[in-house]
Structures are given as structure tokens and as C-alpha cells.
Amino acid sequence: MPQYVSARYSEQPRYLRKTLREVAHRIEELAVQLTEDEAREHIPEDDWSVVEIAGYLRDCEREDLKAINAMIARDGATIEERRAQYGPIEGNYQQQHLDEFMWEFATIREETLWTLHDADGLWHRTGEHPFRGNVTLTEWVREMNERDLDVMWRIGRIVQRIRARDR
């Protein structure tokens, strides 16, 4: 498996967009290795199934795109708390289809990437978060990358456990 590192040390928008694209593709590659039944399994090492993780990821991407658009539209715009972090607690993900979640995530991610591409020169803009105060667009995108890496590692671990069990 290729090694991925956090984009937290880079300030370059081009690099941040690249990491968002590449890690999202890797998440998709991992997820499609599972059948729908396997994607719904809960392994002991993780609280969420892959389908629940995919639902969480889709919802996060929706929230992130909304925050990004707000920051680009107006410096200091009010941005909302991330609700998707509650994941399966608030959504009925387990009965949904993995491929639908992954398709929606990929579609929204592509829109996010184009939005960020068009935002060159605006990465210093901020959003006013209810608990954190001012958050720059750069910080927000770095946090998206951190989340993506966590999701990639979690799904990779689940796929490995399922494949090891099936041998």
C-alpha cells in the first residue's frame, strides 16, 4: 500500500488539492473491494462498518463544501459546527448502499476540488466557527486531509481483517 502523509505541513494550495484528490481515490479503491455484506460488518477493532464510515465521509464532505463556499464568498463568514462527526448516531447509514455513499462522496469531492482550484489567492480567508473562532481556509482543508487519512487507514484495516479472515 502506498504511504500517505498528512498535508499539515504544507501551505501550498496545489499540494493540498492534490492530497485531497489522491487520498479520496485511495479510499474509493479500498471500499470497492468489499461486497455490500462485508461493508456492513462490524469488526472488533472498529466501532463503525465501512458503509457507516462512507456515510460519515459523504456527510462531512457536504458540510466542508458548504463551509468552503462561505469562506470564499466572504472573509469572516459564519461557518457551522461539523455535525457529521456524530456519524451513525444521527444517520441510518447501515441500511444504505456503499456504492451510493461512495458515488455521492466522489461527486461532492470533485466539486470541492474545483471550488478550491478557483479559490487561488483566497486561502487566507477565514470562517467564524462557533467554538473555535477564526479558521482559515487552509486550516479547514488541512483538517479535511487529516480526516481523509484517518478514514483511509480505518477502511484499509477493516479490508485487511476481512480478507485475512476469509483466507
Side-chain angles (χ1 to χ4, degrees):
M1 183 158 113
Q3 294 297 313
Y4 295 92
V5 295
S6 169
R8 103 179 80 149
Y9 300 112
S10 178
E11 295 285 332
Q12 297 179 2
R14 185 172 158 217
Y15 177 74
L16 290 168
R17 289 191 314 266
K18 181 179 186 292
T19 61
L20 288 180
R21 179 175 287 110
E22 288 181 3
V23 176
H25 286 303
R26 182 62 184 149
I27 289 169
E28 291 174 64
E29 289 171 1
L30 289 166
V32 299
Q33 294 178 37
L34 300 174
T35 66
E36 284 290 334
D37 288 339
E38 290 171 334
R40 287 186 177 81
E41 283 186 43
H42 286 266
I43 65 167
E45 295 83 5
D46 209 302
D47 294 335
W48 296 357
S49 68
V50 170
V51 76
E52 290 170 326
I53 294 169
Y56 155 77
L57 190 61
R58 186 232 20 219
D59 291 351
C60 286
E61 197 68 17
R62 282 181 179 161
E63 291 177 354
D64 289 334
L65 181 57
K66 186 176 178 182
I68 289 166
N69 280 326
M71 285 184 255
I72 290 170
R74 186 175 68 81
D75 194 24
T78 301
I79 54 176
E80 298 175 13
E81 174 191 9
R82 286 178 165 146
R83 299 283 313 154
Q85 66 186 340
Y86 300 110
I89 296 168
E90 291 188 349
N92 184 19
Y93 300 145
Q94 193 64 5
Q95 300 310 314
Q96 304 298 318
H97 294 282
L98 176 64
D99 59 343
E100 289 177 19
F101 281 142
M102 294 310 300
W103 175 258
E104 290 173 9
F105 164 69
T107 302
I108 301 165
R109 174 55 59 95
E110 196 60 32
E111 185 177 349
T112 300
L113 289 167
W114 278 110
T115 300
L116 291 170
H117 179 269
D118 293 342
D120 271 349
L122 301 176
W123 285 67
H124 64 281
R125 290 222 171 159
T126 63
E128 182 69 29
H129 189 273
F131 306 114
R132 298 171 53 196
N134 282 335
V135 179
T136 67
L137 180 58
T138 301
E139 291 169 328
W140 196 270
V141 173
R142 271 199 231 116
E143 290 171 9
M144 290 173 64
N145 174 249
E146 294 280 334
R147 181 205 54 234
D148 286 357
L149 289 171
D150 177 62
V151 164
M152 181 187 68
W153 290 321
R154 289 173 73 182
I155 292 175
R157 183 176 61 237
I158 292 169
V159 168
Q160 285 178 341
R161 296 284 196 264
I162 288 173
R163 292 297 164 250
R165 179 198 68 209
D166 292 346
R167 286 185 195 157

